Amino acid sequence: MKSCGTGWFCFLLSTFLFVHAAGGRAAAQDGGWHGPRFPAKIAASREIKMGGATLQVDFADGHFDLPLDVLMQHVQAAAAAVTAYYGRFPVNRARVLIVPIPGRGGEPQGTTWGDMGGFQGFTRIRMGEHTTTADLADDWVMTHELVHYAFPSLPDDQHWMEEGLATYIEAIARHETGELTAQRVWGDMMRDMPKGEPAPGDEGLDRTHTWGRTYWGGALFCLSADVAIRRQTGNRKGLRDALRAIVAQGGTIDQEWPLERALEIGDRATGTHVLTQQYAAWKDAPVQVDLPALWKELGIRPAEGGVDFVADAPLAAVREAIAGEAKAPAHPVAAH
Ligand SMILES: [Zn+2]
């Protein structure tokens, strides 16, 4: 079960609570929500057919300022982003339940489960009744939740991999459908990746269950692996190839796997040992990444209002392969 909050504060709070409620994750995952977990009354039910999958989208009874069509377009955009990244929608049957929260606005909050109620993936989105199109344009939660479908459920000590993957992939996937520019993707990474670096006393990702290490430490693991795979394969393979192979071999959220099994499949798909070796190094030791050096190699530098790119940087082609300016699509899929 993965719970991802409204804005970074609630996000932090809910994660902090679950980290400190040993064995009591269920009690704290809801970040301050005290209503019923699964409202009984469904006011509307629709379907999205996407990438070979059926996504059932249910709306719990209540009021939204926005028309349901606009909310549907938002789910559709997230599903399209995930489908673009993985080459297919990762599970065949999933359900998204959108619950209106009276008196609230802003970005939604999401929680995702595997293998629930006959669905391989189930996501509950709590959406303020006053949420606007501008809030949805800024929303990363919907895509993040759907990315969770595309990896097996892991033991608690590897929760960082589930969250890190969703954190890393979400923006790249939204870039692929034209929702986010490459400048936005890399600018956000440059701003946020330092949150994932080990602090003093860190004992590695499997043993340091802080918010920063879980979400951004996991994302940093993914970025480092992506770059390493691309270095070793002459940019012919990347993390995407590893992740697609894991999904193709049945590694989705409704399955419980040890992390090693997924990483071995991923490594075979890229013909490297990057994931297995990097996990061995990072799991119980505080590995530092020289981020300024990495940005420089990738050719990403701060600029007025964000970042700009250095065309002849040593790893410019790797940057372009992960999220490139050149492949900005012709038509945005986003609802806004
Ligand atoms: Zn998550």
Side-chain angles (χ1 to χ4, degrees):
M1 198 278 299
K2 304 99 174 72
S3 184
C4 310
T6 308
W8 293 106
F9 178 74
C10 289
F11 204 177
L12 174 77
L13 183 65
S14 66
T15 305
F16 177 85
L17 286 171
F18 104 63
V19 165
H20 291 269
R25 189 145 53 134
Q29 69 214 2
D30 287 328
W33 164 249
H34 301 295
R37 179 164 292 171
F38 301 114
K41 188 157 180 216
I42 301 301
S45 183
R46 300 198 184 177
E47 253 181 25
I48 294 171
K49 299 276 189 188
M50 175 74 68
T54 301
L55 190 55
Q56 178 178 319
V57 184
D58 291 336
F59 294 88
D61 200 24
H63 173 260
F64 291 107
D65 292 351
L66 290 173
L68 292 198
D69 283 348
V70 172
L71 300 177
M72 280 301 290
Q73 282 166 18
H74 186 61
V75 181
Q76 176 100 15
V82 171
T83 299
Y85 188 85
Y86 287 92
R88 55 170 283 192
F89 197 75
V91 295
N92 295 324
R93 222 168 116 63
R95 180 184 183 219
V96 174
L97 171 63
I98 302 184
V99 183
I101 306 300
R104 295 255 288 267
E107 293 165 40
Q109 182 183 6
T111 307
T112 291
W113 292 262
D115 190 20
M116 184 177 277
F119 294 89
Q120 286 169 285
F122 171 57
T123 296
R124 184 195 53 203
I125 298 287
R126 285 197 293 264
M127 180 92 72
E129 68 167 330
H130 301 311
T131 293
T132 64
T133 50
D135 294 327
L136 294 184
D138 274 343
D139 171 43
W140 52 270
V141 169
M142 187 71 75
T143 305
H144 175 110
E145 298 303 326
L146 301 190
V147 172
H148 279 314
Y149 296 170
F151 205 77
S153 292
L154 303 174
D156 284 354
D157 281 349
Q158 284 91 45
H159 190 55
W160 59 268
M161 185 65 182
E162 298 171 336
E163 294 305 341
L165 264 178
T167 301
Y168 179 67
I169 303 303
E170 168 264 314
I172 296 171
R174 288 169 68 205
H175 169 66
E176 303 216 344
T177 48
E179 217 177 307
L180 300 181
T181 63
Q183 279 83 0
R184 171 75 189 275
V185 172
W186 290 111
D188 286 359
M189 279 201 215
M190 193 179 236
R191 182 193 63 207
D192 292 329
M193 282 294 172
K195 297 172 189 166
E197 292 183 295
D202 188 280
E203 296 181 0
L205 288 173
D206 275 4
R207 292 156 40 132
T208 311
H209 303 307
T210 58
W211 170 81
R213 289 291 267 165
T214 299
Y215 288 83
W216 288 102
L220 187 55
F221 181 93
C222 293
L223 171 65
S224 296
D226 209 350
V227 172
I229 293 165
R230 291 179 183 282
R231 272 188 216 269
Q232 289 189 23
T233 62
N235 206 20
R236 283 189 301 277
K237 301 280 186 185
L239 183 63
R240 170 198 321 260
D241 299 285
L243 296 175
R244 287 182 173 195
I246 292 163
V247 170
Q249 297 204 25
T252 48
I253 190 170
D254 51 318
Q255 304 297 314
E256 291 186 9
W257 285 13
L259 178 57
E260 290 86 347
R261 180 175 168 193
L263 299 183
E264 283 163 15
I265 291 170
D267 277 345
R268 273 202 301 279
T270 63
T272 71
H273 301 286
V274 167
L275 291 170
T276 304
Q277 289 177 352
Q278 192 177 300
Y279 174 54
W282 288 46
K283 66 183 169 120
D284 52 15
V287 175
Q288 295 281 347
V289 175
D290 187 345
L291 280 170
L294 180 60
W295 304 135
K296 196 166 180 199
E297 276 192 291
L298 288 166
I300 304 159
R301 61 186 179 193
E304 180 88 26
V307 295
D308 66 10
F309 300 133
V310 181
D312 60 355
L315 295 182
V318 167
R319 180 195 73 226
E320 283 289 313
I322 295 173
E325 280 188 296
K327 68 175 178 186
H331 58 93
V333 175
H336 29 274

